[in-house]
Amino acid sequence: MKKKVAKLLETHTPAPGYCLHTYDAPEIASMAEPGQFITVRVSEASHPILRRPFSILSIEGDAVRILFKIKGEGTEILSRAKKGELVDIIGPIGTPFSIGEKPAVLVAGGIGMAPLFFLAKTLKTKGQKTAFLYGAKTAADILLPDEIGKISDEFIVATEDGSKGERGLITERASSYLTEERAVYSCGPEPMLLALRKILDSRGLSAQFSLENYMACGVGACQGCSIETTRGFLRVCVDGPVFSSRDIVTIPFSTGIGGDKA
Amino acid sequence: MIDLSIEIGSLRLKNPVTAASGTYGYGTDYLSFYPPGKLGAVFLKGITRRPSSGNAAPRVMETPSGMLNAIGLQNVGLESFIMEKLPALDGIEGVFIANIAGETIEEASEIARALNDAPNLSALELNVSCPNVRQGGMAFGVSPAATEEITRAVRQSTTLPLIVKLTPNVTDITEIARAAQSGGADAVSLINTLVGMVIDIERRRPVLGNLTGGLSGPAIRPVAVRMVWDVYRAVKIPVIGMGGIRTWRDAIEFFLAGSTALSMGTAVFQDPFAPLEVMDGVRKYLEKCGCKSIRDIIGAGHE
């Protein structure tokens, strides 16, 4: 984990209400693994005082990309940062996804897509088969579909209003993919993760879930983001954010890392 | 060359900027940024006799120029602290101070005794001010008599320098500070967090799992400066000031009010390097005003 003042190489609006940042951060880029995140200082002043955690969307050479939904004061400020500005980032942080040999199924809900995008890209370079299942509220919330199409072998979309892909919840489509033969990874809202876990549990399977929580230090020091697990209270920031679906007792929040609740 | 060193009882710190308990883990979480030896001291995470799992999530919430926390003293417990956390500091340069919290006076004394010969510790901070636990914690620190009694018992159980950390959630903090002094404390540290609450208006419920939490950050700084000012006048022992210190200017206020040393916490979350920048700024301030030592400005606001 390193703290760097990184140049914002590109800021992009993939859809209204969302923002994609590309930072020049070679050292962080060289260390990052799928599932890890960075924290960004959003203000030089005393407010908002806490850094914001964001899953790493991907590493492109020396650059680190994040994708976030603008939903609070911190993400609002960050979304206004201009190309060329210097941004204070710390990363990579956290325990990454553990990648095995099995073909993968990635189940993404909303902005929870971000860490799974990095995972899919990594799996692609390893030559592993990937099914990318992506659910969101409407077509406008399905981000980077063209890029996802290129890094997955199967790409399935479901929207709650049916405006893109199938109408309904992605968990309904995911059910047939949840088998012993596949490695399952997921990130998304709490109801989605709970529904997935119910199916997994009934089949004696487990998945790797990427979680988020409010964080204060984001380096493991303050215990502010701890959640209850079967192994006791564990810190989402460094013990996670990736946890086995079997270990989780409570899921604190409703989006993957990339949220901003303040 | 400016002399930044200060003394707290028999404890000598090479500089007065420290990390507050609860914000710096067990001393190793910030190692990838800089060695803890750069700080005057690190107050380690508060520990209890037995391991504690702390409060339900959510435990932290941002507020205007600050944050609320209700960790609830989640910690590994005395035995793991001695067997695992303190040995993990072997070979790491730095002054480490244990923060201890007992549910009873006997328990606090027992922890103090157990830590007397523990490795890598330079002092004890007695926590009579945690607002987020049901037993112990602030229950002692709101009563002068209880504060004096627990301080005396812990004083008799340790030969380490003893600092008593005070809560601001009282009518008159100077009474509590005097009680800690009477009980044998070598110093008092203040302020711990102010009890607060944030309500989620959609759910119509308090946000924190514990309902209330402790407010920290720049929002509380003027309250902390005032309390340091008052306590400095009320006791003879050194005051370790804290509460919303983020920049060197904030730090200077605390020294002028009477702090011998100071602690930072929430600002370190925003920028892990903030304490080093504060130290640098304080040094430059002293140079500019022709001071030779940090001791020249401690309490200078009262002159």
Side-chain angles (χ1 to χ4, degrees), chain B residues 48-50 78 100-114 126 136 140 146 149-157:
Chain B
T48 50
R49 174 70 191 83
R50 280 171 289 279
L78 177 63
I100 66 169
E103 287 187 9
T104 61
I105 290 174
E106 292 68 34
E107 214 174 79
S109 307
E110 185 189 347
I111 298 170
R113 266 195 304 278
L126 174 62
F140 291 108
E149 196 184 349
I150 194 171
T151 303
R152 180 164 291 120
V154 171
R155 170 75 289 163
Q156 288 164 358
S157 307

Side-chain angles (χ1 to χ4, degrees), chain A residues 61-125:
Chain A
D62 284 346
V64 176
R65 295 203 302 171
I66 61 168
L67 173 65
F68 58 95
K69 190 171 181 173
I70 302 164
K71 57 197 291 189
E73 212 176 352
T75 45
E76 168 65 34
I77 292 169
L78 191 61
S79 72
R80 292 198 302 264
K82 299 272 188 301
K83 182 176 175 175
E85 268 183 41
L86 296 176
V87 180
D88 170 349
I89 64 177
I90 291 177
I93 308 168
T95 305
F97 288 114
S98 151
I99 297 174
E101 301 295 316
K102 291 179 180 178
V105 53
L106 281 48
V107 187
I111 194 68
M113 179 272 275
L116 298 175
F117 186 97
F118 188 8
L119 177 64
K121 233 180 148 222
T122 305
L123 291 168
K124 178 83 179 171
T125 60

Side-chain angles (χ1 to χ4, degrees), chain A:
Chain A
M1 175 189 323
K2 293 286 170 197
K3 178 175 179 289
K4 294 291 166 191
V5 176
K7 187 186 248 182
L8 178 57
L9 296 173
E10 201 188 337
T11 173
H12 168 65
T13 305
Y18 294 95
C19 189
L20 196 160
H21 274 187
T22 306
Y23 301 112
D24 180 29
E27 203 174 349
I28 293 175
S30 70
M31 296 188 284
E33 292 181 57
Q36 291 187 302
F37 66 98
I38 63 171
T39 61
V40 181
R41 178 173 179 173
V42 293
S43 171
E44 287 298 309
S46 65
H47 185 81
I49 200 160
L50 298 179
R51 306 175 74 89
R52 298 297 192 266
F54 300 102
S55 281
I56 297 172
L57 175 73
S58 69
I59 299 300
E60 311 289 340
D62 284 346
V64 176
R65 295 203 302 171
I66 61 168
L67 173 65
F68 58 95
K69 190 171 181 173
I70 302 164
K71 57 197 291 189
E73 212 176 352
T75 45
E76 168 65 34
I77 292 169
L78 191 61
S79 72
R80 292 198 302 264
K82 299 272 188 301
K83 182 176 175 175
E85 268 183 41
L86 296 176
V87 180
D88 170 349
I89 64 177
I90 291 177
I93 308 168
T95 305
F97 288 114
S98 151
I99 297 174
E101 301 295 316
K102 291 179 180 178
V105 53
L106 281 48
V107 187
I111 194 68
M113 179 272 275
L116 298 175
F117 186 97
F118 188 8
L119 177 64
K121 233 180 148 222
T122 305
L123 291 168
K124 178 83 179 171
T125 60
K126 289 178 183 283
Q128 284 183 238
K129 283 250 177 302
T130 300
F132 202 112
L133 282 63
Y134 187 3
K137 282 203 159 56
T138 71
D141 303 300
I142 297 293
L143 309 172
L144 313 179
D146 297 343
E147 288 194 48
I148 296 173
K150 287 181 203 149
I151 54 173
S152 57
D153 298 286
E154 248 185 295
F155 180 31
I156 292 160
V157 170
T159 51
E160 289 174 33
D161 67 352
S163 53
K164 190 176 175 90
E166 295 184 26
R167 177 192 293 270
L169 299 173
I170 197 66
T171 40
E172 291 157 15
R173 273 309 302 267
S175 183
S176 64
Y177 287 82
L178 307 179
T179 64
E180 182 70 48
E181 290 71 39
R182 288 192 173 87
V184 183
Y185 307 86
S186 185
C187 184
E190 176 189 11
M192 186 195 97
L193 294 178
L194 289 175
L196 263 190
R197 189 167 72 169
K198 202 168 168 189
I199 304 170
L200 290 162
D201 285 353
S202 71
R203 297 174 191 174
L205 304 172
S206 69
Q208 293 179 50
F209 284 177
S210 175
L211 304 184
E212 83 156 344
N213 199 352
Y214 291 145
M215 286 179 192
C217 72
V219 302
C222 78
Q223 310 273 12
C225 64
S226 295
I227 56 159
E228 195 181 354
T229 75
T230 54
R231 296 180 288 135
F233 273 84
L234 294 176
R235 299 161 294 183
V236 172
C237 66
V238 294
D239 298 318
V242 176
F243 292 93
S244 165
S245 60
R246 280 208 179 102
D247 292 346
I248 298 165
V249 175
T250 54
I251 296 175
F253 280 113
S254 56
T255 58
I257 286 181
D260 179 288
K261 306 298 191 314

Side-chain angles (χ1 to χ4, degrees), chain B residues 108-126:
Chain B
S109 307
E110 185 189 347
I111 298 170
R113 266 195 304 278
L115 292 177
N116 208 30
D117 300 314
N120 302 325
L121 280 184
S122 299
L124 288 188
E125 181 178 54
L126 174 62

